[in-house]
Structure formats: structure tokens, C-alpha cells
Amino acid sequence: MILKAAWVVPVTTPPVRHGYVEVEGDRIVALGPIDQRSLPPPAVADLGDVVLVPGLVNPHTHLELGCYAGRLDPAPLWVWLEHLVRLRGKPGRAQRERQAASDGAWQSLQAGVTCVGDISRENVAWRPLKNVPIRKVCFVELLTLAGQPPRDPDELRSAVAAVEEDPLLTVGISPHAPYTVPAPYIQAALSLACELGRPWCTHWAESSEEVAFLREGPKRLPFFLRVLLWRHGITSPRLPPMEFLDRCCEGAKPGALAHVNYIDDRELERLAAAGHTVVYCPRAHHFFGHPPHPLPRLRRAGVPVTLGTDSLASNESLSVLDEAHHVYTRVPDPPSPHELLRMVTLDGAWALGLADQIGSLEVGKQADLAAFPGAPDERDPVAALIARPAPPSAVWVAGQRVT
Ligand SMILES: [Zn+2]
């Protein structure tokens, strides 16, 4: 199959006007300018005025929460969390959240997102997601404060073992956050990821109350959480967040840190040296009313940053292109459109441990592609894509057209 497009944007090399991508089976076997190749016309699918880019990657979402879309108003994190817990407690939860996971995967594909890093609280999302032709890292969440497993390292290990991987499904490990999982369990979770050679992610430095808890103690956390911490014996390490993370990570590989909304300059260097990728969720960040994200400082310090959507319970869509547009138009000192495209493709793939397979158009990589509207006379097709996001006209995963 040879796909011809007004623009081919490999991400790792400059955009090609009037380009092609040749796919054999699930892989890219050639690409370049169309005039440098003699092509028998029937072998070519002319996609017309489109910009062909690598399938977008959303490294941080909770698809199962999509059934609560529009049910929760913008609010500080803790107020939102209490409401969410109440909504999730209503009868029929497993069925509606499984359906939401599947619906969210299809919505992602329709937005050109061909790979998601999805976190499931009770490890229920991987089954419905297995039936959707999207690439996914299904993160099994460890949450010690929860009523249901996995709550400790043994329960985590058996939940991870239950996930049936396939060429599109990789299992991942996600200790929820430093205020919901005790340090030895975080260490055990990251060691398990290392032992299995699978990616890990966690929520880190998301709120100022969390940072205060890690540094000093729980007094700024909401009452319901303080009670739970006391019951489960989770105490403050009395360390800055990144120093605490370094201790939890001993012997483990770098992973993905969702949010990092709060970090001081001294901790930036430590984070850069540790090699973790930060997943900034711009519209969720706005929804929760945090002060400006340290994105410019993170980038200056050399910390890799990618963009995620978080869940539909705190966002309007599952499109990382919409996130890039939000950053480009609403955040001071934004990265360039080309950098933003890289953040929602290759850098997202890196955060999920899949950068050798997806995230750019290169010979030998998986043929995960998305075709967005774009005319050949566009001066900069990437700038146009980020400035005016539109739904893709076609999407492929592993060489198969899926929308
Ligand atoms: Zn999250």
C-alpha cells in the first residue's frame, strides 16, 4: 500500500510536500517525495489535500472515567475528587466504566490518537480495550487507600499477570500517587516494572497540598484524606517530591510523571538528571485552576515533556491535538508548532517506552498514521495543524485503516 499526500510529516525530519508513505503489513517500508519514485498508478492511494503525520500518542488518560463526562464542574482537585468518588460509587459501575473505556478508545482514534497510555483503577479496562484496534499501554493502578485491589504489591503482581498482552496491548504499572501508596509499595511497583521490562507512570507533584504533605506532613490535605492516611499508616517522608521519588526509584528505570504542576528550581536539576518524562495535561490543569504550569522551566532544564488529556471527567475531549492547540494559543511562551507536534507523537511514545516502534514516520517503524486536512500550498503545514485542529479524514494502526 502506497499512500500519497499533499504533505508527509515524519516528525524526525522536515515535512515533505507531495510525499508518500509505503506500508507493507504493519510497517513503514519507504517514504519520501513522490516525484523521486516511479509508481504504478493503481498501487497508489491518493489521499488528496492532507497532512500525513504519525498517529498521535496520548500517554496519560483514564478512559473508564468517560462516563462521568460533563458531570463534574471545574473545581480544585480535592473537591472534584470527592464528587468523583461519589459518582463512581453508584450502582452499575463496572459495566458503565468498561463501556466508557471502549467508547473512549474509539473517540481517541477519531481524533487521530493511535496510542493511549490508559490507567484503570481495578484493572477492568484492558478487556474492552483489547477489542478496539488502538495501540495501548494498559496501566494497572496500585492504590493502597482504595477499597478494591490492587492495593499492595501482591495484588498488583497478580493483576498485572492477568492482563493478556498482544501486539497492540502492553501492560504497564502505575502506583497512583505518593499520598495514596506508601513508599515501600511504590518501590515494589517500580521494581516490578523493571523486572518485567514494562513501562510505569505515576501522578506526581500534582497539587500544592501534596507537595506540602511530602515536605512537612498532612495538615494541608483535606480531612477525608487525612483520615484514610492515618488508617493505612501512610506518613510524610519529610522530603521534597523529587528527592523522595529518587529514593523510591532506586534500581528502577525512568518513567512517566503525570502533571508535575509544582516544582522549585532546586528540584528541576534532580528531575532532569533522573530522566523521567513529564506528562503535562494542559486543559485538565486549567480545569483544576492550578497556577501556570512550569513547562518553560522544565524545557529549559532539559526535562522531556509530553502532553496528555487526563480523563473526560476533567476535560472536553481525548484529542492531544486539542491539548497542543491549547498550549499554543493560551499558554505564555509556548513551544513552536513543530515542537508541539513532536510532544504529542514521539515524546509521548517515549513516555510509554514505545519510541522504537511508533511516534515518527521512519522505515521499520509501525504504520500508525493519521491524515489531517492540509493543502499543498500551506506555507507551514504543522503550524496550520496546531493552529486550526480538525478531525482526521483517515487513521491507520499497524497498517490497518481503522477510521
Ligand atoms: Zn490522571
Side-chain angles (χ1 to χ4, degrees):
M1 172 176 73
I2 296 172
L3 303 170
K4 182 181 156 195
W7 289 96
V8 170
V9 181
V11 171
T12 41
T13 52
V16 178
R17 195 192 305 262
H18 299 300
Y20 76 94
V21 174
E22 184 173 355
V23 175
E24 252 177 50
D26 59 357
R27 280 171 202 279
I28 297 167
V29 294
L31 74 162
I34 199 89
D35 57 4
Q36 286 179 12
R37 210 192 137 109
S38 57
L39 300 167
V44 180
D46 189 350
L47 304 174
D49 286 358
V50 300
V51 183
L52 195 57
V53 299
L56 308 178
V57 180
N58 180 4
H60 185 76
T61 188
H62 309 253
L63 296 176
E64 65 195 15
L65 300 183
C67 51
Y68 310 112
R71 306 277 304 275
L72 293 147
D73 292 327
L77 178 67
W78 308 112
V79 176
W80 174 89
L81 191 60
E82 260 196 293
H83 288 165
L84 177 68
V85 168
R86 212 172 299 144
L87 279 177
R88 295 188 89 173
K90 296 195 170 167
R93 171 180 165 183
Q95 195 192 354
R96 73 174 171 266
E97 292 192 1
R98 265 187 225 121
Q99 184 63 47
S102 172
D103 294 348
W106 282 108
Q107 286 170 34
S108 301
L109 287 171
Q110 280 149 14
V113 172
T114 55
C115 180
V116 290
D118 180 60
I119 298 176
S120 180
R121 173 64 281 274
E122 289 169 25
N123 201 28
V124 296
W126 70 268
R127 267 188 204 282
L129 290 181
K130 204 172 166 65
N131 297 325
V132 182
I134 191 170
R135 199 177 296 280
K136 51 263 176 184
V137 174
C138 292
F139 287 103
V140 180
E141 186 170 69
L142 170 65
L143 208 162
T144 304
L145 299 187
Q148 300 296 324
R151 293 160 297 190
D152 61 44
D154 289 339
E155 290 177 350
L156 177 67
R157 189 177 276 274
S158 39
V160 168
V163 179
E164 294 165 18
E165 293 187 312
D166 64 32
L168 294 183
L169 193 164
T170 304
V171 71
I173 288 163
S174 180
H176 172 258
Y179 56 91
T180 55
V181 185
Y185 288 9
I186 297 176
Q187 282 163 344
L190 304 191
S191 302
L192 179 61
C194 196
E195 176 194 323
L196 301 175
R198 296 295 184 274
W200 64 266
C201 72
T202 182
H203 299 86
W204 212 264
E206 182 172 7
S207 68
S208 60
E209 293 83 2
E210 171 194 329
V211 172
F213 162 70
L214 294 176
R215 285 178 178 275
E216 300 150 18
K219 65 177 183 292
R220 284 189 54 209
L221 289 174
F223 180 71
F224 78 94
L225 199 52
R226 292 208 305 271
V227 172
L228 282 170
L229 291 179
W230 177 78
R231 258 193 224 148
H232 289 85
I234 298 176
T235 55
S236 166
R238 299 195 177 271
L239 290 171
M242 294 307 155
E243 190 174 341
F244 177 51
L245 181 61
D246 268 1
R247 294 199 185 184
C248 293
C249 276
E250 255 167 51
K253 294 210 173 86
L257 308 181
H259 308 304
V260 189
N261 295 331
Y262 298 84
I263 185 164
D264 64 29
D265 284 340
R266 275 167 307 171
E267 287 248 288
L268 273 175
E269 258 177 57
R270 184 182 280 277
L271 174 56
H276 306 300
T277 300
V278 168
V279 186
Y280 167 34
C281 300
R283 289 178 298 163
H285 183 274
H286 180 75
F287 179 97
F288 291 119
H290 295 294
H293 191 270
L295 173 69
R297 289 193 295 125
L298 288 167
R299 285 164 41 80
R300 276 197 297 276
V303 176
V305 183
T306 172
L307 304 181
T309 63
D310 222 336
S311 82
L312 284 177
S314 60
N315 202 348
E316 297 147 18
S317 80
L318 295 167
S319 164
V320 282
L321 195 57
D322 288 347
E323 301 297 340
H325 174 75
H326 178 98
V327 173
Y328 191 54
T329 55
R330 299 188 62 172
V331 170
D333 191 17
S336 74
H338 289 259
E339 288 169 303
L340 284 164
L341 181 63
R342 187 187 165 102
M343 285 165 78
V344 296
T345 52
L346 193 55
D347 295 344
W350 180 261
L352 295 175
L354 296 174
D356 57 342
Q357 294 180 52
I358 57 165
S360 57
L361 305 184
E362 290 179 74
V363 171
K365 276 198 168 180
Q366 288 285 300
D368 291 8
L369 311 160
F372 291 94
D377 57 357
E378 202 71 72
R379 201 172 57 85
D380 182 342
V382 176
L385 180 69
I386 303 290
R388 300 186 297 277
S393 52
V395 177
W396 295 258
V397 175
Q400 299 294 316
R401 184 155 174 188
V402 292
T403 69

